Amino acid sequence: MEYPEIVQIEVTNKCNFNCIMCIRHVWQTGLMDMDPALFSKIGREVFPHLRRLDLYGQGEPFMHPNLLDLIKIAREYLPREGKILMNTNGSLLIPKVAEKLVKIIGRAILAFSVDTADARKLEQMRLGAPSRRIFENFRYLVNHGEGTSIGVEAVVTKGNYMDLPELVKKVGEEGGDFILVSHVVPYTKAIFDSSVYIPVSQESLKIMERALGYDWNLIREANYELLAQTYTGRSIDKTASEFHRGLWKKAMDKGYWINLPMLFESKERLAILEEVKRYFKKAEVIAHEYGVEIDLPPLFPDAKRRHCPYVDKKALFIRSDGKVTPCMDFAYSHPMYVNTHLKVIKEVIMGDLRREGLLDIWNSERYRNFRKMREDMPANIPWCGDCPYSTLGCFYTENNDIDCYGNEPNCAECLYSVDIARCNI
C-alpha cells in the first residue's frame, strides 16, 4: 500500500477578492466549504503518513468559517515534524486571527499572494485587495510567527514585471523568508496577451532565430516549392524549402521540433523578454542582499526537462466537496488559451472521498497508471509548444481528453510541467 507524501486540501473555493486573472471568471461551479467531518476522516486515514499538508486551493482559506478548527484537527493527526503550507491573499489574517493561528499551526509555511509593492497596481490586479492591511498583516505575522516560514507568491505580467525588484526589497525589509514567482495562467486570450513568456523550447527558439527576418511567406513558399516539385517533376528554386528543412534537421538532431507559426506570432513578445530578464536578474541580486530565497520561472520552457510537480512530490489535490484530482489545474473544468488557441480543460476526478477511502483512490490502477506515465514526461508525453500543428489548430489541442501519443488525460500543453506556471506544493 502506497501513501501520498503531500495532500493538498481546498478547504473552501470561496474568495473575498475578484482578481483579474482568476479562474473564477471562467468556471461554472458551486461555491462550497469542506465539511469538518470529511476533513477529520481524511486526517485519520492519511495525515499520520504525510510530510506536509497544504491547505489552499481555488479559494481563500480564511473564508472557511471553521478554518482554525480544521488546523487543530490537522495537528492532531500530522506527525510532529509534518508541516502545514497555506497560500492566502492576506486580507483576513488580521492580528487577532494571526495570534490564534501561530499558537496552533506549528511548523508551517505561509505565502501571501502579493504581485507588486505598488499599492495602486495591487488593488487593480486583485480587485478588493486592501493593500495597506495586507502589508500590515504580513508584517505582524513575520514578527510573531516564530517557527513559521513566511513569504510571498507573485504572478508576473506585462503590467508588473518591472515591480519585481521593489517587491523583493519590500519582502526583505519586512523580514520575509522567500518569494515564489509564477507567470500568469492564461484562462483567456486577454490574459495570455498580458503574459511575458513564450511556450517554445529555448533550444528550439535558438535554432529558429535565423527565421526571425521572415514571416508566414517562408512557410507558404516552402510548401509551394514542394508541391511544384511533386506535381511537375521540374527542377525549381528550393531556397525556402531547403532553409525550412535545414531548421528542422538541426532541431531534430538535438531532440526538438520547431514551431515557426508560434515564432512569427511571438516577434513582439521576444523584444520585451530581454527587458524582463534584466528585471529578474535585478530581483535576484536584491534577494541575495536581503537573504530572501527567490524562485523565478523561466521565460521559455524546455521540452526535454518537463515534469509533473504533483507526481514528483507524490502529491494530490482534494476539492472542497471531497473529490480527488491529480492536480489543481484538473480540479475544475475551465477554458485555457495556450499556443495561440483556446482549449477546454475538463475536470479529471479520480474518486470521491464521500464514498471512497483516499488510499483506495491513490492506489487504484487508473491513478497509478496516471502517475507512472508522468514520471518521465519527455519520453511519454508530447510538448505542443514546439509543434506547429498545435498553433494551427490540431484536433488533439481542443481539450484535455487525449494527446497524440494516446495518453488520457492530455497533459501536452501543461504550463506547470515546464515551470512557466508554478505550483506552491
Side-chain angles (χ1 to χ4, degrees):
M1 182 73 72
E2 291 184 15
Y3 287 86
E5 293 185 6
I6 295 175
V7 167
Q8 182 179 2
I9 299 180
E10 177 187 68
V11 292
T12 182
N13 64 2
K14 299 174 182 177
C15 190
N16 57 330
F17 282 12
N18 190 26
C19 304
I20 59 175
M21 61 286 200
C22 185
I23 192 174
R24 63 189 58 251
H25 292 292
V26 295
W27 72 2
Q28 292 183 348
T29 192
L31 299 180
M32 49 205 160
D33 299 322
M34 172 155 282
D35 180 357
L38 179 58
F39 188 88
S40 292
K41 174 195 170 188
I42 301 167
R44 287 191 299 271
E45 185 179 11
V46 297
F47 287 6
H49 305 278
L50 300 182
R51 63 181 174 87
R52 204 178 70 218
L53 173 66
D54 296 356
L55 297 180
Y56 80 96
Q58 298 290 8
E60 167 51 44
F62 287 88
M63 288 287 287
H64 194 293
N66 305 113
L67 177 64
L68 296 181
D69 291 333
L70 297 186
I71 294 173
K72 288 178 182 177
I73 293 170
R75 271 296 158 215
E76 181 182 345
Y77 294 112
L78 281 170
R80 185 175 182 181
E81 67 277 8
K83 289 185 178 182
I84 294 176
L85 181 148
M86 298 181 71
N87 271 21
T88 173
N89 63 36
S91 63
L92 302 176
L93 199 48
I94 57 178
K96 68 177 182 180
V97 175
E99 185 180 0
K100 295 176 182 178
L101 177 70
V102 297
K103 288 180 180 178
I104 62 173
I105 199 167
R107 300 185 68 200
I109 304 169
L110 266 70
F112 280 57
S113 295
V114 178
D115 311 303
T116 172
D118 184 316
R120 180 183 59 83
K121 278 190 184 180
L122 181 61
E123 291 170 5
Q124 288 175 343
M125 292 181 71
R126 299 189 177 271
L127 302 178
S131 56
R132 174 182 285 184
R133 187 196 308 163
I134 291 170
F135 287 119
E136 288 174 351
N137 293 347
F138 183 85
R139 184 180 305 116
Y140 181 90
L141 203 56
V142 167
N143 292 330
H144 296 85
E146 186 177 351
T148 300
S149 178
I150 301 166
V152 160
E153 183 178 18
V155 173
V156 290
T157 68
K158 286 180 180 176
N160 73 322
Y161 70 83
M162 66 291 296
D163 300 338
L164 187 57
E166 192 62 31
L167 178 61
V168 174
K169 182 180 178 184
K170 178 78 170 175
V171 172
E173 288 176 342
E174 298 291 357
D177 299 302
F178 66 88
I179 179 165
L180 173 68
V181 183
S182 173
H183 289 287
V184 67
V185 178
Y187 299 117
T188 65
K189 184 179 185 301
I191 296 176
F192 175 76
D193 289 342
S194 74
S195 66
V196 287
Y197 69 88
I198 293 178
V200 176
S201 292
Q202 187 167 17
E203 190 64 34
S204 178
L205 194 63
K206 288 178 183 177
I207 293 167
M208 292 191 292
E209 280 179 344
R210 292 171 55 205
L212 274 173
Y214 297 86
D215 54 24
W216 284 87
N217 285 328
L218 173 63
I219 299 173
R220 193 175 297 112
E221 289 172 11
N223 287 333
Y224 287 161
E225 290 169 12
L226 291 174
L227 288 170
Q229 178 71 28
T230 300
Y231 289 104
T232 69
R234 289 181 290 181
S235 179
I236 57 171
D237 179 11
K238 300 179 181 178
T239 303
S241 59
E242 288 182 351
F243 179 73
H244 189 246
R245 188 161 47 246
L247 294 178
W248 267 100
K249 183 180 185 308
K250 191 170 183 180
M252 294 189 74
D253 285 346
K254 295 190 174 185
Y256 294 91
W257 282 27
I258 62 169
N259 187 351
L260 286 176
M262 178 62 74
L263 175 74
F264 298 146
E265 292 289 332
S266 304
K267 282 185 177 181
E268 292 183 8
R269 190 178 293 257
L270 277 168
I272 198 174
L273 294 193
E274 285 302 316
E275 185 177 0
V276 177
K277 193 183 299 183
R278 288 197 296 273
Y279 279 98
F280 275 17
K281 183 62 179 175
K282 188 174 181 181
E284 284 183 317
V285 171
I286 294 172
H288 179 73
E289 291 173 353
Y290 282 92
V292 173
E293 180 183 341
I294 187 168
D295 193 351
L296 293 166
L299 301 179
F300 312 92
D302 187 338
K304 294 169 72 172
R305 299 183 65 183
R306 285 174 294 136
H307 66 109
C308 174
Y310 282 80
V311 170
D312 283 357
K313 297 183 179 181
K314 297 183 179 179
L316 57 81
F317 184 89
I318 302 173
R319 291 192 335 191
S320 47
D321 61 357
K323 291 184 178 179
V324 177
T325 78
C327 64
M328 200 157 79
D329 197 42
F330 281 167
Y332 297 97
S333 297
H334 63 273
M336 179 79 79
Y337 190 87
V338 59
N339 295 324
T340 73
H341 67 84
L342 193 67
K343 75 183 301 177
V344 176
I345 303 295
K346 301 177 183 179
E347 67 178 26
V348 178
I349 306 300
M350 292 295 182
D352 191 334
L353 292 172
R354 293 170 296 188
R355 295 185 291 272
E356 304 168 84
L358 183 56
L359 292 182
D360 291 333
I361 297 170
W362 178 255
N363 288 285
S364 66
E365 183 178 6
R366 181 188 176 208
Y367 205 165
R368 283 189 286 108
N369 288 340
F370 175 92
R371 296 196 299 273
K372 184 174 179 59
M373 289 302 295
R374 285 150 186 82
E375 288 174 357
D376 187 356
M377 289 192 74
N380 299 326
I381 309 288
W383 174 243
C384 295
D386 291 344
C387 177
Y389 300 111
S390 68
T391 306
L392 298 175
C394 169
F395 163 80
Y396 291 104
T397 64
E398 293 177 0
N399 54 54
N400 64 322
D401 284 344
I402 187 170
D403 66 34
C404 58
Y405 287 8
N407 299 299
E408 301 177 66
N410 182 345
C411 294
E413 294 182 286
C414 175
L415 297 176
Y416 296 91
S417 74
V418 288
D419 294 323
I420 293 293
R422 317 301 294 283
C423 290
N424 192 17
I425 61 168

